[in-house]
Amino acid sequence: MFKPIYSALIALTILSGCTSVPEEKKDERDPLQSINRPIYDFNMDVLDTYILRPAAQGYLAVTPTPVRAGLVNFTTNIAAPIDAVNAGLQGKPGDMGINVARFLINSTVGVLGIFDVASNFGLEHKDEDFGQTLGVWGVGDGAYVMLPAMGPSTVRNVVGDVVDKVVLPEIALTTPQTLLIFALRAVEARASLMAQESLLKESLDPYVFMKDIYFQRQLYELHDGNPPVNEEPTDFDEDFLENL
Protein backbone atom coordinates (compact mmCIF):
# COMPACT_ATOMS: atom_id res chain seq x y z
CA MET A 1 0.00 0.00 0.00
CA PHE A 2 2.65 2.48 1.04
CA LYS A 3 5.30 1.43 -1.49
CA PRO A 4 3.92 3.62 -4.33
CA ILE A 5 3.68 6.57 -1.95
CA TYR A 6 7.25 6.29 -0.80
CA SER A 7 8.44 5.71 -4.35
CA ALA A 8 6.72 8.92 -5.40
CA LEU A 9 8.33 10.78 -2.52
CA ILE A 10 11.79 9.50 -3.43
CA ALA A 11 11.26 10.48 -7.06
CA LEU A 12 10.14 13.98 -6.04
CA THR A 13 13.18 14.42 -3.82
CA ILE A 14 15.56 13.32 -6.57
CA LEU A 15 13.91 15.58 -9.13
CA SER A 16 14.08 18.50 -6.74
CA GLY A 17 17.84 18.38 -7.01
CA CYS A 18 17.51 19.33 -10.67
CA THR A 19 15.34 22.38 -9.98
CA SER A 20 16.43 25.84 -8.90
CA VAL A 21 14.58 28.37 -6.78
CA PRO A 22 13.76 31.67 -8.53
CA GLU A 23 15.67 34.61 -7.08
CA GLU A 24 12.49 36.34 -5.86
CA LYS A 25 11.45 33.25 -3.87
CA LYS A 26 14.78 32.66 -2.13
CA ASP A 27 14.65 32.87 1.66
CA GLU A 28 17.67 32.70 3.96
CA ARG A 29 15.53 30.82 6.50
CA ASP A 30 14.81 28.17 3.86
CA PRO A 31 18.07 27.05 2.20
CA LEU A 32 16.52 23.63 1.45
CA GLN A 33 13.57 25.07 -0.48
CA SER A 34 14.30 23.07 -3.64
CA ILE A 35 13.75 19.91 -1.57
CA ASN A 36 11.09 21.29 0.77
CA ARG A 37 8.65 22.36 -1.96
CA PRO A 38 8.32 18.90 -3.58
CA ILE A 39 7.82 17.37 -0.13
CA TYR A 40 5.16 20.01 0.62
CA ASP A 41 3.40 19.13 -2.64
CA PHE A 42 3.58 15.44 -1.74
CA ASN A 43 2.16 16.10 1.73
CA MET A 44 -0.73 18.17 0.39
CA ASP A 45 -1.51 16.48 -2.92
CA VAL A 46 -1.06 12.87 -1.80
CA LEU A 47 -1.01 12.33 1.97
CA ASP A 48 -3.50 15.04 2.91
CA THR A 49 -5.81 14.54 -0.06
CA TYR A 50 -6.04 10.76 0.13
CA ILE A 51 -5.32 9.92 3.77
CA LEU A 52 -5.29 12.65 6.41
CA ARG A 53 -8.19 14.85 5.25
CA PRO A 54 -10.58 11.91 4.66
CA ALA A 55 -9.58 10.51 8.05
CA ALA A 56 -10.28 13.88 9.67
CA GLN A 57 -13.66 14.14 7.90
CA GLY A 58 -14.62 10.66 9.10
CA TYR A 59 -13.45 11.51 12.61
CA LEU A 60 -15.61 14.64 12.65
CA ALA A 61 -18.61 12.72 11.30
CA VAL A 62 -18.59 9.96 13.91
CA THR A 63 -17.10 11.66 16.97
CA PRO A 64 -19.43 13.79 19.13
CA THR A 65 -18.01 17.10 20.36
CA PRO A 66 -17.83 15.97 24.04
CA VAL A 67 -15.84 12.89 22.99
CA ARG A 68 -13.47 15.03 20.92
CA ALA A 69 -12.97 17.32 23.90
CA GLY A 70 -12.22 14.32 26.10
CA LEU A 71 -9.62 13.00 23.65
CA VAL A 72 -7.95 16.40 23.43
CA ASN A 73 -7.89 16.64 27.22
CA PHE A 74 -6.46 13.12 27.49
CA THR A 75 -3.61 13.71 25.04
CA THR A 76 -2.86 17.10 26.60
CA ASN A 77 -2.72 15.52 30.05
CA ILE A 78 -0.37 12.78 28.86
CA ALA A 79 2.06 15.50 27.76
CA ALA A 80 1.82 17.48 31.01
CA PRO A 81 4.95 15.91 32.58
CA ILE A 82 6.94 16.79 29.45
CA ASP A 83 5.56 20.32 29.59
CA ALA A 84 6.60 20.49 33.24
CA VAL A 85 10.14 19.27 32.54
CA ASN A 86 10.60 21.80 29.75
CA ALA A 87 9.18 24.62 31.86
CA GLY A 88 11.75 23.77 34.54
CA LEU A 89 14.57 23.67 31.98
CA GLN A 90 13.46 27.10 30.75
CA GLY A 91 13.64 28.58 34.23
CA LYS A 92 9.87 28.83 34.75
CA PRO A 93 9.24 27.17 38.13
CA GLY A 94 5.71 28.60 38.33
CA ASP A 95 4.68 27.05 35.00
CA MET A 96 6.41 23.81 35.99
CA GLY A 97 4.36 23.67 39.19
CA ILE A 98 1.12 24.39 37.33
CA ASN A 99 1.74 21.55 34.87
CA VAL A 100 2.60 19.13 37.67
CA ALA A 101 -0.55 20.12 39.56
CA ARG A 102 -2.66 19.80 36.40
CA PHE A 103 -1.33 16.32 35.78
CA LEU A 104 -2.03 15.15 39.33
CA ILE A 105 -5.56 16.62 39.43
CA ASN A 106 -6.65 15.62 35.93
CA SER A 107 -5.15 12.13 36.16
CA THR A 108 -7.18 11.42 39.30
CA VAL A 109 -10.29 13.59 39.64
CA GLY A 110 -10.36 14.12 35.89
CA VAL A 111 -10.39 10.36 35.16
CA LEU A 112 -7.01 9.91 33.44
CA GLY A 113 -7.23 13.41 32.01
CA ILE A 114 -10.47 12.94 30.07
CA PHE A 115 -11.95 15.86 32.03
CA ASP A 116 -9.95 19.08 32.46
CA VAL A 117 -10.83 19.65 36.10
CA ALA A 118 -7.63 21.64 36.77
CA SER A 119 -8.73 24.53 34.55
CA ASN A 120 -11.73 25.02 36.82
CA PHE A 121 -9.23 25.84 39.59
CA GLY A 122 -7.46 28.41 37.41
CA LEU A 123 -4.62 26.05 36.46
CA GLU A 124 -4.41 26.75 32.75
CA HIS A 125 -2.25 24.53 30.54
CA LYS A 126 1.29 25.80 29.94
CA ASP A 127 2.44 24.37 26.62
CA GLU A 128 6.23 23.97 26.58
CA ASP A 129 8.43 21.79 24.39
CA PHE A 130 12.12 21.01 24.02
CA GLY A 131 12.34 23.05 20.82
CA GLN A 132 11.33 26.09 22.86
CA THR A 133 13.77 25.05 25.57
CA LEU A 134 16.62 25.03 23.06
CA GLY A 135 15.47 28.46 21.84
CA VAL A 136 15.52 29.82 25.40
CA TRP A 137 19.04 28.43 25.73
CA GLY A 138 20.06 30.47 22.70
CA VAL A 139 19.98 27.82 19.97
CA GLY A 140 18.86 29.29 16.65
CA ASP A 141 16.08 27.89 14.47
CA GLY A 142 18.42 26.39 11.90
CA ALA A 143 17.15 25.63 8.42
CA TYR A 144 13.43 25.39 7.74
CA VAL A 145 12.50 21.85 6.78
CA MET A 146 9.33 20.29 5.39
CA LEU A 147 9.00 16.77 6.76
CA PRO A 148 7.10 14.00 4.93
CA ALA A 149 3.73 13.50 6.65
CA MET A 150 4.79 15.73 9.55
CA GLY A 151 4.74 19.15 7.88
CA PRO A 152 6.80 22.27 8.64
CA SER A 153 9.61 22.34 11.16
CA THR A 154 13.14 23.61 11.70
CA VAL A 155 16.35 21.77 12.53
CA ARG A 156 16.03 22.93 16.15
CA ASN A 157 12.44 21.76 16.43
CA VAL A 158 13.19 18.41 14.79
CA VAL A 159 15.64 17.76 17.63
CA GLY A 160 13.04 19.00 20.12
CA ASP A 161 10.33 16.76 18.68
CA VAL A 162 12.58 13.71 18.91
CA VAL A 163 13.12 14.41 22.63
CA ASP A 164 9.47 15.29 23.35
CA LYS A 165 7.71 12.70 21.22
CA VAL A 166 10.13 9.78 21.25
CA VAL A 167 12.74 9.89 24.03
CA LEU A 168 10.63 11.13 26.97
CA PRO A 169 7.36 9.30 26.13
CA GLU A 170 9.24 6.01 25.72
CA ILE A 171 10.25 6.29 29.39
CA ALA A 172 6.64 5.88 30.51
CA LEU A 173 4.71 4.59 27.48
CA THR A 174 5.05 1.63 25.16
CA THR A 175 5.69 2.22 21.47
CA PRO A 176 2.09 1.31 20.45
CA GLN A 177 0.73 3.75 23.05
CA THR A 178 3.04 6.50 21.78
CA LEU A 179 1.93 5.87 18.19
CA LEU A 180 -1.75 5.87 19.18
CA ILE A 181 -1.42 9.23 20.92
CA PHE A 182 0.48 10.63 17.92
CA ALA A 183 -2.28 9.46 15.57
CA LEU A 184 -5.03 10.97 17.76
CA ARG A 185 -3.22 14.30 17.86
CA ALA A 186 -2.62 14.29 14.10
CA VAL A 187 -6.26 13.59 13.21
CA GLU A 188 -7.60 16.10 15.75
CA ALA A 189 -5.18 18.78 14.53
CA ARG A 190 -6.24 18.22 10.91
CA ALA A 191 -9.91 18.24 11.88
CA SER A 192 -9.41 21.55 13.70
CA LEU A 193 -7.91 23.08 10.56
CA MET A 194 -10.95 22.38 8.38
CA ALA A 195 -12.42 25.80 9.04
CA GLN A 196 -9.17 27.58 8.21
CA GLU A 197 -7.98 25.59 5.19
CA SER A 198 -9.49 28.15 2.79
CA LEU A 199 -6.84 30.62 4.00
CA LEU A 200 -4.17 28.32 2.64
CA LYS A 201 -5.93 27.65 -0.65
CA GLU A 202 -6.60 31.34 -1.32
CA SER A 203 -3.02 32.49 -0.67
CA LEU A 204 -0.83 33.43 -3.64
CA ASP A 205 1.81 30.89 -2.64
CA PRO A 206 0.52 28.33 -0.10
CA TYR A 207 4.04 27.06 0.59
CA VAL A 208 5.28 30.53 1.58
CA PHE A 209 2.07 31.22 3.51
CA MET A 210 2.51 28.08 5.62
CA LYS A 211 6.20 28.86 6.18
CA ASP A 212 5.51 32.42 7.35
CA ILE A 213 2.69 31.25 9.61
CA TYR A 214 4.98 28.59 11.07
CA PHE A 215 7.70 31.10 11.96
CA GLN A 216 5.08 33.40 13.48
CA ARG A 217 3.94 30.55 15.66
CA GLN A 218 7.50 29.78 16.78
CA LEU A 219 8.08 33.43 17.68
CA TYR A 220 4.88 33.61 19.76
CA GLU A 221 5.58 30.33 21.54
CA LEU A 222 9.19 31.20 22.32
CA HIS A 223 8.10 34.48 23.94
CA ASP A 224 4.96 33.02 25.57
CA GLY A 225 2.66 35.10 23.38
CA ASN A 226 4.56 38.37 23.91
CA PRO A 227 7.23 38.67 21.20
CA PRO A 228 9.46 41.76 21.04
CA VAL A 229 7.63 44.66 19.40
CA ASN A 230 10.15 44.93 16.57
CA GLU A 231 9.66 41.25 15.74
CA GLU A 232 5.89 41.02 16.12
CA PRO A 233 4.23 39.79 12.90
CA THR A 234 1.40 41.83 11.39
CA ASP A 235 -0.89 39.18 9.93
CA PHE A 236 -1.35 36.72 12.77
CA ASP A 237 -4.08 34.09 12.61
CA GLU A 238 -4.13 32.58 16.10
CA ASP A 239 -6.58 29.79 15.26
CA PHE A 240 -4.53 28.67 12.27
CA LEU A 241 -1.25 28.72 14.22
CA GLU A 242 -2.71 26.87 17.18
CA ASN A 243 -3.40 23.81 15.03
CA LEU A 244 -0.58 23.94 12.52
Side-chain angles (χ1 to χ4, degrees):
M1 175 181 177
F2 294 102
K3 186 175 180 180
I5 293 178
Y6 284 111
S7 298
L9 178 58
I10 292 170
L12 283 171
T13 305
I14 293 173
L15 289 173
S16 68
C18 304
T19 62
S20 58
V21 178
E23 192 64 33
E24 66 274 10
K25 291 185 179 292
K26 288 185 177 179
D27 183 345
E28 63 180 9
R29 303 171 301 177
D30 189 8
L32 303 174
Q33 188 172 166
S34 62
I35 297 175
N36 286 334
R37 278 186 178 271
I39 294 177
Y40 170 83
D41 291 339
F42 172 78
N43 284 346
M44 299 304 294
D45 297 341
V46 179
L47 293 182
D48 189 71
T49 299
Y50 297 106
I51 299 176
L52 193 52
R53 193 174 192 278
Q57 289 176 317
Y59 170 75
L60 286 173
V62 303
T63 310
T65 300
V67 176
R68 283 184 63 195
L71 290 173
V72 170
N73 291 339
F74 173 75
T75 56
T76 300
N77 188 63
I78 284 289
I82 297 173
D83 293 327
V85 169
N86 280 303
L89 292 174
Q90 293 172 33
K92 302 174 184 176
D95 289 354
M96 180 179 181
I98 287 173
N99 281 325
V100 170
R102 281 182 56 85
F103 181 73
L104 294 175
I105 293 171
N106 287 342
S107 296
T108 53
V109 183
V111 191
L112 301 179
I114 294 174
F115 301 100
D116 185 7
V117 179
S119 290
N120 295 328
F121 294 102
L123 299 172
E124 298 297 331
H125 175 226
K126 304 297 181 181
D127 187 12
E128 305 291 351
D129 58 59
F130 195 67
Q132 294 176 51
T133 298
L134 292 175
V136 170
W137 291 352
V139 178
D141 287 314
Y144 177 76
V145 291
M146 181 62 63
L147 300 175
M150 301 288 291
S153 189
T154 61
V155 171
R156 184 185 75 199
N157 285 338
V158 168
V159 174
D161 285 344
V162 169
V163 173
D164 287 333
K165 297 176 181 178
V166 178
V167 177
L168 294 180
E170 284 292 341
I171 295 175
L173 303 175
T174 64
T175 298
Q177 289 171 333
T178 301
L179 292 174
L180 176 60
I181 291 171
F182 173 80
L184 286 173
R185 286 174 177 163
V187 174
E188 173 60 38
R190 183 62 183 87
S192 299
L193 281 174
M194 288 292 186
Q196 286 87 36
E197 62 183 9
S198 60
L199 294 173
L200 189 64
K201 293 178 180 178
E202 294 170 2
S203 63
L204 294 176
D205 188 333
Y207 173 84
V208 172
F209 177 81
M210 180 174 286
K211 176 170 59 178
D212 288 342
I213 288 289
Y214 180 79
F215 276 108
Q216 288 178 24
R217 176 189 178 189
Q218 299 314 299
L219 184 64
Y220 267 72
E221 288 187 345
L222 184 61
H223 294 281
D224 293 329
N226 297 291
V229 175
N230 63 335
E231 295 184 57
E232 189 169 356
T234 54
D235 298 322
F236 176 63
D237 188 316
E238 186 173 354
D239 289 335
F240 191 91
L241 299 198
E242 184 67 24
N243 297 292
L244 185 61

